[in-house]
Amino acid sequence: APSASSGTTARGMSAVLSEVLRGRRVLLVRHGNTAKAEVDADRELTEFGRGQCAKFAEAWRGSLDGIAHVMASPVKRTIQTAGIITEPLGVEVLPVEDLYFIRPWRTDEMKRADKDCGYAPAAVFIEKHPGSHELAGKVMAQAVAEAGASLGPGDLMIVGHAGYLSFLALEVVDAMAEDATRPEGWREAARSVVLAANVGEACGFELGEGGARYLPNPESTDFAAAKSNDAFVAVVGAS
């Protein structure tokens, strides 16, 4: 995995990711609503969460057309989300370990920022805790690049987790910008979309030649009921 100081490695990773994503649209989607669990990885979708996923699939049917590959964090809630959304497509879901955030690379700085910011746009994390999640984005991007090295043609959907998904999206933006007609203009416009969004349950981003857009869910997320990931873990720290 790239380290925080490995600029050359990070640039190399971006080039590899750019090659993997060339000619594709990319959808990045957060999992749906879950129940509490003793351990974070054991959380499963509620009926409401399953409904959110079905409504996302219906609302963004046009964006899902062309999705030929799906990667997901390997835990229950993300695999379930990916399965429900892509069921009509008949696409196999590929679990990717480093799309889950409770990994050895998650630093104390990331944990502090997660606790302080809760569910919030990436711009808030960057303002309050500059650089805290840069490594997370790069590790996840490298994992996508490695998992995608042998993909055939077709668009890609990635299912992940609040906060971390946005930092992966920023890396995807950088990689895809290299092939844009006006790379800097495309990059800045796409980054502004990613940075501003507080990604709700079963919501996400669509990135393509025409730029970036946020894909909201018809069933809105109750951010007041759960202000951070810890609200869903019965014993905080058990994960």
Side-chain angles (χ1 to χ4, degrees):
S3 68
S5 59
S6 58
T8 302
T9 303
R11 286 192 294 275
M13 178 276 297
S14 184
V16 173
L17 184 60
S18 180
E19 182 64 32
V20 167
L21 300 180
R22 183 160 291 132
R24 304 184 197 273
R25 286 180 309 114
V26 180
L27 270 62
L28 299 105
V29 181
R30 178 187 166 191
H31 62 81
N33 180 262
T34 73
K36 286 187 176 184
E38 292 290 330
V39 176
D40 182 84
D42 290 340
R43 288 163 53 194
E44 298 193 51
L45 295 183
T46 59
E47 284 304 309
F48 181 74
R50 289 178 177 276
Q52 287 175 319
C53 295
K55 288 179 179 179
F56 179 90
E58 178 64 27
W60 302 109
R61 186 185 303 171
S63 294
L64 290 167
D65 285 346
I67 295 293
H69 311 283
V70 181
M71 299 179 191
S73 161
V75 296
K76 294 177 181 179
R77 61 191 184 272
T78 39
I79 296 295
Q80 290 169 345
T81 296
I84 293 169
I85 291 175
T86 64
E87 184 178 7
L89 306 176
V91 181
E92 185 177 350
V93 178
L94 175 65
V96 177
E97 292 291 331
D98 277 329
L99 289 176
Y100 186 43
F101 62 95
I102 298 179
R103 298 284 290 158
W105 49 258
R106 188 185 185 214
T107 64
D108 289 340
E109 187 179 9
M110 290 180 203
K111 294 174 185 177
R112 284 193 295 271
D114 291 345
K115 188 175 184 64
D116 181 35
C117 298
Y119 294 135
V124 172
F125 281 82
I126 291 170
E127 179 185 357
K128 291 187 171 183
H129 298 270
S132 64
H133 284 66
E134 185 176 344
L135 177 61
K138 295 189 185 308
V139 171
M140 290 185 289
Q142 180 168 307
V144 170
E146 291 174 353
S150 59
L151 292 184
D155 298 328
L156 171 66
M157 186 172 86
I158 300 168
V159 181
H161 302 270
Y164 290 83
L165 189 75
S166 295
F167 286 96
L168 171 59
L170 292 173
E171 296 294 329
V172 171
V173 165
D174 284 348
M176 293 180 71
E178 297 180 22
D179 290 330
T181 305
R182 294 177 55 251
E184 277 310 306
W186 187 96
R187 177 180 180 274
E188 289 309 311
R191 279 180 62 87
S192 68
V193 171
V194 174
L195 288 168
N198 189 5
V199 181
E201 295 163 339
C203 299
F205 302 107
E206 179 180 8
L207 305 174
E209 185 179 354
R213 62 173 175 164
Y214 181 62
L215 306 179
N217 197 296
E219 197 75 67
S220 61
T221 299
D222 187 354
F223 285 110
K227 297 184 179 181
S228 74
N229 190 76
D230 288 348
F232 291 96
V233 184
V235 181
V236 176
S239 54

